[in-house]
Structure formats: structure tokens, C-alpha cells
Amino acid sequence: MKQEVLFFILDGYADWEGAFLSVCLNTGVMPGSEIKYITKVVAPTLDPVPSIGGFRTLPDYSFQTMPTDYAALILIGGMSWQSPEAEQIVPIVQKALDQGKIVGAICNASLFMGKHGFLNNVKHTSNTLPVLKQWGGDKYTNEKNYIEKQAVGDKNIVTANGTGYMEFTRELLLLLKADTPERIEETCDYYKNGFIK
């Protein structure tokens, strides 16, 4: 049976940041690959959620109806990670981390992670260290483990800046063991560079 990977979106979410990851999980890393996961969308309510690009996504679950059995939480960046709706996600992330589940956060969602102390015991990245420190305030205490990279995976947390969506995809596919490392690298290289190098 396929495990669910839950993509959390809020109003004004960055629709491109989870696109490659969701394709690789939902259809297999490469044509003919085993499909181990199915992607589902979680939002504050079951109402359509508008993206930055103008798409309207119909969630599978609300925060209240989401399952407790899943493989990973993926927090997609966007414009609402300082909203009251985002604050409702804090206990969900805390519970996931307490249970050893995988949590991925990209762009402003990585800043949200720093703001709530979730990055204080892992190597991580975000939308620049100064912005992370500004968002995090006294709750962010792990400047020494900030890494200036597109994406960083450590323990069961993957973070990425807003332009690191392919690296974010790679790190999460590896952590989820969605396929062999070689096939994951080949697929991500193809999506990043195409046929011409």
C-alpha cells in the first residue's frame, strides 16, 4: 500500500516549489519505477487555495481531517507563513518531529520552521541567514549550523531556499528512499539541466 506524503499549502502558495517532488512521488522517479507514495494536499479548510501563479487547488484534507498515518509533511512556501493559519501548523509539525516523521520546508516555510525553533538542532538553510534571524528572533538559536546551499537535509528535516526546488526535491526523494540514489540523481539532473548541458 502506498504511503501518503502531505503537502501543506496556504493562500498565495508558491505552486512551482513542490511540483517536481509531487510528480516524482506520485508517478515514480522514472518511467517504470516503483511508486511507493501518493501525494495529498492539506490546507486550513477544504476550500480552494489560490497560488501565487493563480491556480486554485482543492485540498484533500483540512488541518482537522488530515490523517495521522503518513510518511512526510512538505511545507510549501508562499506568502502566508506569518498568518494565523500558519500558526495552526506548529503543533502538527511538532507532533510529526516527535514521531520521527520527515518534514520538508522550502522558502518562507523554512523561515516559519526557524521562527518556531524547529531548526535549532539540525543543519539547515533558508532564504538567507539574515532573513532567517529576522523571522526567528530569539526562537532561532542555531546560526552555527546554517549552510549557504540551495537545500540541506539533516536527520529527518529538509530545508531549502525559494530557488532550491530541484535540490529540495532531490534531498526529500533520497530521505524517502523513493528510488535508488543513482536514479534520483539522474532524474533531478534531467529536470534541472534538460538534454543540453
Side-chain angles (χ1 to χ4, degrees):
M1 184 169 160
K2 298 180 187 118
Q3 288 186 286
E4 292 187 353
V5 174
L6 305 180
F7 283 64
F8 278 67
I9 60 172
L10 300 169
D11 282 359
Y13 76 95
D15 38 45
W16 63 93
E17 290 178 349
F20 293 101
L21 176 60
S22 61
V23 167
C24 288
L25 292 173
N26 226 30
T27 65
V29 171
M30 288 184 162
S33 292
E34 179 186 0
I35 302 169
K36 300 177 182 179
Y37 300 99
I38 184 168
T39 57
K40 297 289 184 175
V41 174
V42 182
T45 69
L46 294 175
D47 295 330
V49 182
S51 73
I52 291 174
F55 294 115
R56 297 177 64 76
T57 300
L58 191 61
D60 297 291
Y61 304 117
S62 71
F63 294 165
Q64 290 72 39
T65 64
M66 64 172 277
T68 56
D69 183 21
Y70 56 85
L73 300 179
I74 310 299
L75 310 182
I76 300 299
M79 309 311 292
S80 296
W81 282 99
Q82 289 184 305
S83 68
E85 290 79 18
E87 292 304 305
Q88 295 175 47
I89 300 173
V90 174
I92 297 170
V93 171
Q94 185 63 64
K95 184 175 180 181
L97 294 174
D98 289 347
Q99 294 175 343
K101 293 186 187 285
I102 294 167
V103 176
I106 185 169
C107 193
N108 284 351
S110 67
L111 297 169
F112 163 86
M113 293 283 284
K115 175 182 175 182
H116 294 285
F118 296 129
L119 304 181
N120 288 338
N121 296 304
V122 293
K123 294 174 184 162
H124 59 280
T125 195
S126 189
N127 289 345
T128 77
L129 181 57
V131 174
L132 180 57
K133 288 168 64 176
Q134 179 184 356
W135 271 55
D138 61 1
K139 297 282 186 182
Y140 174 68
T141 61
N142 195 14
E143 182 178 343
K144 70 181 182 305
N145 280 314
Y146 181 88
I147 300 173
E148 195 71 46
K149 284 179 65 177
Q150 291 292 83
V152 174
D154 189 28
K155 299 176 185 169
N156 59 327
I157 294 177
V158 175
T159 51
N161 66 50
T163 63
Y165 46 88
M166 279 313 311
E167 294 82 2
F168 184 64
T169 296
R170 182 183 63 239
E171 292 295 327
L172 282 161
L173 290 174
L174 289 167
L175 194 55
L176 285 161
K177 296 181 172 64
D179 208 320
T180 66
E182 295 77 19
R183 288 168 70 91
I184 290 169
E185 290 294 340
E186 186 178 341
T187 296
C188 290
D189 180 65
Y190 170 75
Y191 281 136
K192 182 97 175 169
N193 299 305
F195 292 115
I196 301 170
K197 297 185 185 202

